[in-house]
Amino acid sequence: MNWLAWRQHRKQFMVVGISLIIFAAVTIPTGLSFWHTYQHALTTCKTTDTCNQLSGELFQSNIDGLLFHFIPLAVLLLPVLLGLFWGVPFLAREYAEGTNKLVWTQSISRRKWLTVKLIWVLLGAAILTAAFAALDTWWFKTGNALNQNRFGNGFSTQGIVPVAYSIFAVSLGIMFGAWFRRTMAALGVTLFLLIAIMLILVPNGLRPHYETPLNYKMSLSRSLGDTGPTPFDNGPASGAALILDQYPVNSTDQPLNWSNPPSKCIITNPGTPQGHSEAIKQVNGSGPDVNIISRNGGPAINMACLGNLGYQMDIKYQPSYKYWDFQRIETGLYLALSVIPIGVTYWLVLRRDA
Amino acid sequence: MVSLSSPSAGSANVLSKSPSQSPEYLSEIGYLAQEIPMYSRLNAKEHIEMGQHLNSNWDSELAIKRLNELSIPLDRPVGKLSGGQRAQVALGLALAKKPKLLLLDEPVAALDPLARVDFLKSLARAVTDAEGELTVVMSSHLLADLERVCDHIIILASGDTQLCDDIELVLKSHKLLVGKRQEVTSNNNYTIIQQTETAKETTMLVKLRASKLHDPRWHIRNVDIEEIVLAYMGQKRDLADTIAAKGGSLR
């Protein structure tokens, strides 16, 4: 059976294998060069104390921008492509061409036939994805060091989660291919579900809540985007955390009512010079600019004024030290999810008429 | 019978076993599906190698020898072979398994007449070579082919067995009677399978109960298997129509 599995799938292994070689040929030299540039810049910026400006200075060329965009994108899309082009035809083509009838009437049980084929294709997908993800994780260490955000897009393309994504995507494609027996219909449904689950539902709906978030109260006179020391200064910098929510609360933890804020802090005509100077006056003329926020159609509010009234920004976040916890949880989640399509596939193959 | 579908009702006993997906059962049965499915990008040699890996009792040499004798290119993807050649490769694969029972589902339906004759020739030779160890069950709508190669015939219509007998006996026992128009019913001498009447004549296809019929009212003619099968199928259809007209149903 191994002979047939290899003979049937060797071409697709080779296509992805060659893509991996091309990927390595791009990432290894550029990765080395980026890291070298970064290290060099790090030693020189220390003398002038401008290291916190590096992320805005390095790798600004078009080519660099494209690489930082498309290298992670390739790893993000790989599981989807494997699900569509490895998973869906895996059984759909056998059904469509009737070859399942040929192979199921040889002296081998369907269970063994399916098991051996699944092992080959799932293991192949896992190993190749692991290689892509490892290269990307290594390649992106410059980017991780610079913008210090591992919970953004980097989360889905680095570490161990891409391997679980691939196993899930391929299993899902296999199930729908067996279910519909037609490639096109199965492609459509698989693509829709993969996008919904992997790109929308899990990263936005589930990931922020894998563990109970931490709280931090921050002075209203500054924002998360500011450079310099930040609220999360115990090691990781601000961008490293996954921010779930931030909301101004008063000294008794009551959240700010956006449509009815303390009247003292409302700026009546924020866009005009008059309104602007009024705003500055409200914070005793300190600083050249004022942090003005308006939400839910409410009035414009002077945030520094709120700060003077005892308001603070209440931030719910997942700290960066939970990165590997979250990687493990999400990997486990996808592997557990994969059990469903694999189980259904066995049922379809063993119990349903050819 | 090859466990590709589960029965909606009833059971079967094949080679003293009941059909299952187990390798022990499948190893004794050769099967060729109607659409002659094969991996179109694999060549004949690779299909034979596949069989070697998937069957415990496999004769690669026999398969290669047979295909060589038919001058079928072994190293061309089977998707690029002609229909007749593909059917021969598929038959070779089914036979390489050295089955005790070979099930052929409309194997020649899609073939041109020449390829059909060649296929049946190969089949007949395989049966001879197997020296009584091989039974072939073949379904077909091409009745003349059946007459040429089969020993035994089963006519199925509307899910029921209409006739099950040796072809020679069937041919001997079924006659066409032609005579002056008259009222007749089945009797001790024969059963009427199909009856047609014109203004002057009554023609009927009958199954004789005795070996000979002497009845001066009738001209007795021989019939071929096609006429017999059509008569049985027509009879079933008439019956179904009658029942349907009475508001019943016939499965």
Side-chain angles (χ1 to χ4, degrees), chain A residues 292-338:
Chain A
I292 300 169
I293 293 186
S294 165
R295 283 224 192 120
N296 304 341
I301 304 164
N302 181 340
M303 297 307 275
C305 163
L306 282 181
N308 290 343
L309 290 179
Y311 276 83
Q312 284 185 305
M313 190 62 96
D314 186 16
I315 301 166
K316 273 205 306 195
Y317 71 104
Q318 302 285 7
S320 69
Y321 62 75
K322 287 190 179 173
Y323 177 81
W324 281 106
D325 272 0
F326 274 42
Q327 282 266 330
R328 277 190 289 272
I329 291 169
E330 190 154 319
T331 301
L333 173 76
Y334 273 93
L335 291 181
L337 273 181
S338 309

Coordinates of all heavy atoms in Angstrom, one line a residue, chain A residues 292-338:
Chain A
I292 N -7.6 64.0 21.8 CA -9.0 64.1 21.7 C -9.7 62.9 21.2 O -9.2 62.3 20.2 CB -9.4 65.3 20.8 CG1 -8.7 66.6 21.4 CG2 -10.9 65.5 20.7 CD1 -8.8 67.8 20.5
I293 N -10.7 62.4 21.9 CA -11.3 61.1 21.4 C -12.8 61.3 21.4 O -13.4 62.0 22.3 CB -11.0 60.0 22.4 CG1 -9.5 59.6 22.2 CG2 -11.8 58.7 22.0 CD1 -9.1 58.4 23.0
S294 N -13.5 60.8 20.4 CA -14.9 60.7 20.3 C -15.3 59.4 19.9 O -14.8 58.8 19.0 CB -15.4 61.8 19.4 OG -16.8 61.6 19.1
R295 N -16.3 58.8 20.6 CA -16.8 57.4 20.2 C -18.3 57.3 20.2 O -19.0 58.1 20.9 CB -16.2 56.4 21.2 CG -14.8 56.1 20.9 CD -14.4 54.7 20.9 NE -13.0 54.6 21.0 CZ -12.3 54.0 21.9 NH1 -12.9 53.4 22.9 NH2 -11.0 54.0 21.9
N296 N -18.8 56.4 19.5 CA -20.2 56.1 19.4 C -21.1 57.4 19.2 O -22.2 57.5 19.8 CB -20.7 55.4 20.8 CG -19.9 54.2 21.1 OD1 -19.2 53.6 20.2 ND2 -19.9 53.8 22.3
G297 N -20.6 58.3 18.4 CA -21.3 59.5 18.1 C -21.4 60.5 19.2 O -22.1 61.4 19.1
G298 N -20.7 60.2 20.3 CA -20.7 61.1 21.4 C -19.8 62.4 21.1 O -19.2 62.5 20.1
P299 N -19.8 63.3 22.1 CA -19.0 64.5 21.9 C -17.5 64.2 22.0 O -17.1 63.2 22.4 CB -19.5 65.4 23.1 CG -19.9 64.4 24.1 CD -20.5 63.2 23.4
A300 N -16.7 65.2 21.4 CA -15.3 65.1 21.5 C -14.8 65.3 23.0 O -15.3 66.2 23.6 CB -14.7 66.1 20.6
I301 N -13.9 64.5 23.4 CA -13.5 64.5 24.8 C -12.0 64.8 24.9 O -11.2 64.2 24.2 CB -13.9 63.2 25.5 CG1 -15.4 62.9 25.4 CG2 -13.5 63.3 27.0 CD1 -15.7 61.5 25.7
N302 N -11.7 65.6 25.8 CA -10.2 65.9 26.1 C -9.8 64.8 27.1 O -10.2 64.8 28.3 CB -10.1 67.3 26.7 CG -8.6 67.6 27.0 OD1 -7.8 66.7 27.1 ND2 -8.3 68.9 27.1
M303 N -8.9 63.9 26.7 CA -8.5 62.8 27.5 C -7.7 63.2 28.7 O -7.8 62.7 29.8 CB -7.8 61.8 26.7 CG -8.6 61.1 25.5 SD -10.1 60.4 26.1 CE -9.6 58.8 26.6
A304 N -6.9 64.2 28.5 CA -6.0 64.7 29.6 C -6.9 65.3 30.7 O -6.6 65.1 31.9 CB -5.0 65.7 29.1
C305 N -8.0 65.9 30.3 CA -8.9 66.5 31.3 C -9.5 65.4 32.1 O -9.6 65.5 33.3 CB -10.0 67.3 30.5 SG -11.4 67.6 31.5
L306 N -9.9 64.2 31.4 CA -10.4 63.1 32.1 C -9.4 62.6 33.1 O -9.7 62.2 34.2 CB -10.8 62.0 31.1 CG -12.1 62.0 30.3 CD1 -12.2 60.8 29.4 CD2 -13.3 62.1 31.2
G307 N -8.1 62.6 32.7 CA -7.1 62.1 33.6 C -7.0 63.0 34.8 O -6.9 62.4 35.9
N308 N -7.2 64.3 34.7 CA -7.2 65.1 35.9 C -8.3 64.9 36.8 O -8.2 65.1 38.0 CB -7.2 66.6 35.4 CG -5.9 67.0 34.7 OD1 -4.9 66.3 34.9 ND2 -6.0 68.1 34.0
L309 N -9.4 64.3 36.2 CA -10.6 64.0 37.1 C -10.4 62.6 37.7 O -11.4 62.1 38.4 CB -11.9 64.0 36.2 CG -12.4 65.4 35.7 CD1 -13.6 65.2 34.9 CD2 -12.6 66.3 36.9
G310 N -9.3 62.0 37.5 CA -9.1 60.7 38.2 C -9.4 59.5 37.3 O -9.3 58.3 37.7
Y311 N -9.7 59.8 36.0 CA -9.9 58.6 35.0 C -8.6 58.0 34.7 O -7.6 58.7 34.6 CB -10.6 59.1 33.8 CG -12.1 59.2 33.9 CD1 -12.8 60.3 34.5 CD2 -12.9 58.1 33.4 CE1 -14.1 60.3 34.6 CE2 -14.3 58.2 33.6 CZ -14.9 59.3 34.1 OH -16.3 59.3 34.2
Q312 N -8.6 56.7 34.4 CA -7.4 56.0 33.9 C -7.9 55.1 32.8 O -9.0 54.7 32.7 CB -6.8 55.1 35.0 CG -6.0 55.9 36.0 CD -5.3 55.0 37.0 OE1 -6.0 54.2 37.6 NE2 -4.0 55.1 37.1
M313 N -6.9 54.7 31.9 CA -7.2 53.8 30.9 C -7.1 52.4 31.4 O -6.0 52.0 31.9 CB -6.3 54.0 29.7 CG -6.7 53.3 28.4 SD -8.3 53.8 27.8 CE -7.8 55.0 26.6
D314 N -8.2 51.6 31.4 CA -8.2 50.2 31.8 C -7.9 49.3 30.6 O -8.7 49.3 29.7 CB -9.5 49.9 32.5 CG -9.5 48.5 33.1 OD1 -8.4 48.0 33.3 OD2 -10.6 48.0 33.4
I315 N -6.8 48.6 30.7 CA -6.4 47.8 29.5 C -6.4 46.3 29.9 O -5.9 45.9 30.9 CB -4.9 48.2 29.1 CG1 -4.8 49.7 28.7 CG2 -4.5 47.3 27.9 CD1 -3.4 50.2 28.6
K316 N -7.1 45.6 29.0 CA -7.2 44.2 29.2 C -6.2 43.6 28.1 O -6.3 43.9 26.9 CB -8.6 43.6 28.9 CG -9.5 43.6 30.1 CD -10.6 42.6 30.1 CE -11.6 42.5 29.1 NZ -12.8 41.8 29.3
Y317 N -5.3 42.7 28.5 CA -4.3 42.3 27.6 C -3.7 40.9 27.9 O -3.9 40.4 29.1 CB -3.1 43.3 27.5 CG -2.2 43.3 28.7 CD1 -1.0 42.7 28.7 CD2 -2.7 43.9 29.9 CE1 -0.2 42.7 29.8 CE2 -1.9 43.9 31.0 CZ -0.6 43.3 31.0 OH 0.2 43.3 32.1
Q318 N -3.2 40.2 26.9 CA -2.4 39.0 27.2 C -1.0 39.3 27.0 O -0.5 39.8 26.0 CB -2.8 37.9 26.1 CG -4.3 37.6 26.1 CD -4.8 36.7 27.2 OE1 -4.0 36.4 28.1 NE2 -6.0 36.3 27.2
P319 N -0.2 39.1 28.1 CA 1.2 39.5 28.0 C 2.0 38.6 27.1 O 1.6 37.4 26.8 CB 1.7 39.3 29.5 CG 0.8 38.2 30.0 CD -0.5 38.4 29.3
S320 N 3.2 39.1 26.6 CA 3.9 38.4 25.6 C 4.5 37.1 26.2 O 4.8 36.2 25.4 CB 5.0 39.2 25.0 OG 6.0 39.5 26.0
Y321 N 4.7 37.0 27.5 CA 5.3 35.7 28.0 C 4.3 34.5 27.8 O 4.7 33.4 28.1 CB 5.8 35.9 29.4 CG 4.7 36.2 30.5 CD1 3.8 35.2 30.9 CD2 4.6 37.5 31.0 CE1 2.9 35.5 31.9 CE2 3.7 37.8 31.9 CZ 2.8 36.8 32.4 OH 1.8 37.1 33.3
K322 N 3.1 34.8 27.5 CA 2.1 33.7 27.2 C 2.2 33.2 25.8 O 1.4 32.4 25.4 CB 0.7 34.2 27.5 CG 0.4 34.4 29.0 CD -1.1 34.6 29.2 CE -1.4 34.7 30.7 NZ -2.8 35.1 30.8
Y323 N 3.1 33.8 25.0 CA 3.2 33.4 23.6 C 3.2 31.9 23.4 O 2.4 31.4 22.6 CB 4.4 34.1 22.9 CG 4.6 33.8 21.5 CD1 3.9 34.4 20.5 CD2 5.5 32.8 21.1 CE1 4.1 34.1 19.2 CE2 5.7 32.5 19.8 CZ 5.0 33.2 18.8 OH 5.2 32.9 17.5
W324 N 4.1 31.2 24.0 CA 4.2 29.8 23.8 C 3.1 29.0 24.4 O 2.7 28.0 23.8 CB 5.6 29.2 24.3 CG 6.7 29.6 23.3 CD1 7.6 30.5 23.4 CD2 6.8 29.0 22.0 NE1 8.4 30.6 22.3 CE2 7.9 29.7 21.4 CE3 6.2 28.1 21.2 CZ2 8.4 29.4 20.1 CZ3 6.6 27.8 20.0 CH2 7.7 28.4 19.4
D325 N 2.5 29.5 25.5 CA 1.3 28.9 26.0 C 0.2 28.9 24.9 O -0.5 28.0 24.6 CB 0.8 29.7 27.2 CG 1.4 29.2 28.5 OD1 2.2 28.3 28.4 OD2 1.0 29.7 29.5
F326 N 0.1 30.1 24.3 CA -1.0 30.3 23.3 C -0.7 29.4 22.1 O -1.6 28.9 21.5 CB -1.1 31.8 22.9 CG -2.0 32.5 23.9 CD1 -2.0 32.3 25.2 CD2 -2.9 33.4 23.4 CE1 -2.8 33.0 26.1 CE2 -3.8 34.1 24.2 CZ -3.7 33.9 25.6
Q327 N 0.6 29.3 21.7 CA 0.9 28.5 20.6 C 0.5 27.0 20.8 O -0.1 26.4 20.0 CB 2.5 28.5 20.3 CG 2.9 29.8 19.6 CD 3.0 29.6 18.1 OE1 3.3 28.5 17.6 NE2 2.8 30.6 17.3
R328 N 0.8 26.6 22.1 CA 0.5 25.2 22.4 C -1.1 25.0 22.4 O -1.6 24.0 21.9 CB 1.1 24.8 23.8 CG 2.5 24.3 23.7 CD 3.0 23.8 25.0 NE 3.2 24.8 26.0 CZ 4.3 25.5 26.1 NH1 5.4 25.2 25.4 NH2 4.4 26.4 27.1
I329 N -1.7 26.0 23.0 CA -3.2 25.8 23.1 C -3.8 25.8 21.7 O -4.7 25.0 21.4 CB -3.8 27.0 23.9 CG1 -3.4 26.9 25.4 CG2 -5.3 27.1 23.8 CD1 -3.7 28.1 26.2
E330 N -3.4 26.7 20.8 CA -4.0 26.8 19.5 C -3.6 25.5 18.7 O -4.4 25.0 17.9 CB -3.5 28.0 18.8 CG -4.3 28.2 17.5 CD -4.4 29.7 17.1 OE1 -4.6 30.6 17.9 OE2 -4.3 30.0 15.9
T331 N -2.4 25.0 18.9 CA -2.0 23.8 18.2 C -2.9 22.6 18.6 O -3.4 21.9 17.8 CB -0.5 23.4 18.5 OG1 0.3 24.5 18.1 CG2 -0.1 22.2 17.8
G332 N -3.1 22.5 20.0 CA -4.0 21.5 20.5 C -5.4 21.6 20.0 O -6.0 20.7 19.6
L333 N -5.9 22.9 19.9 CA -7.2 23.1 19.4 C -7.4 22.6 18.0 O -8.4 21.9 17.7 CB -7.5 24.6 19.5 CG -8.8 25.1 18.8 CD1 -10.0 24.8 19.8 CD2 -8.8 26.6 18.5
Y334 N -6.5 22.9 17.1 CA -6.6 22.5 15.7 C -6.4 21.0 15.6 O -7.1 20.4 14.8 CB -5.6 23.3 14.8 CG -6.1 24.6 14.3 CD1 -5.8 25.8 15.0 CD2 -6.9 24.7 13.2 CE1 -6.3 27.0 14.6 CE2 -7.4 25.9 12.8 CZ -7.1 27.0 13.5 OH -7.6 28.2 13.0
L335 N -5.5 20.4 16.4 CA -5.4 19.0 16.3 C -6.6 18.3 16.7 O -7.1 17.3 16.1 CB -4.1 18.5 17.1 CG -2.8 18.9 16.5 CD1 -1.7 18.4 17.3 CD2 -2.6 18.5 15.0
A336 N -7.2 18.8 17.8 CA -8.5 18.2 18.3 C -9.6 18.4 17.3 O -10.4 17.5 17.0 CB -8.9 18.9 19.6
L337 N -9.6 19.6 16.6 CA -10.6 19.8 15.6 C -10.5 18.9 14.4 O -11.4 18.4 13.8 CB -10.5 21.3 15.1 CG -11.3 22.4 15.8 CD1 -11.0 23.7 15.1 CD2 -12.8 22.1 15.8
S338 N -9.2 18.5 14.1 CA -9.0 17.6 13.0 C -9.6 16.3 13.1 O -9.8 15.6 12.2 CB -7.5 17.5 12.7 OG -6.8 18.7 12.7

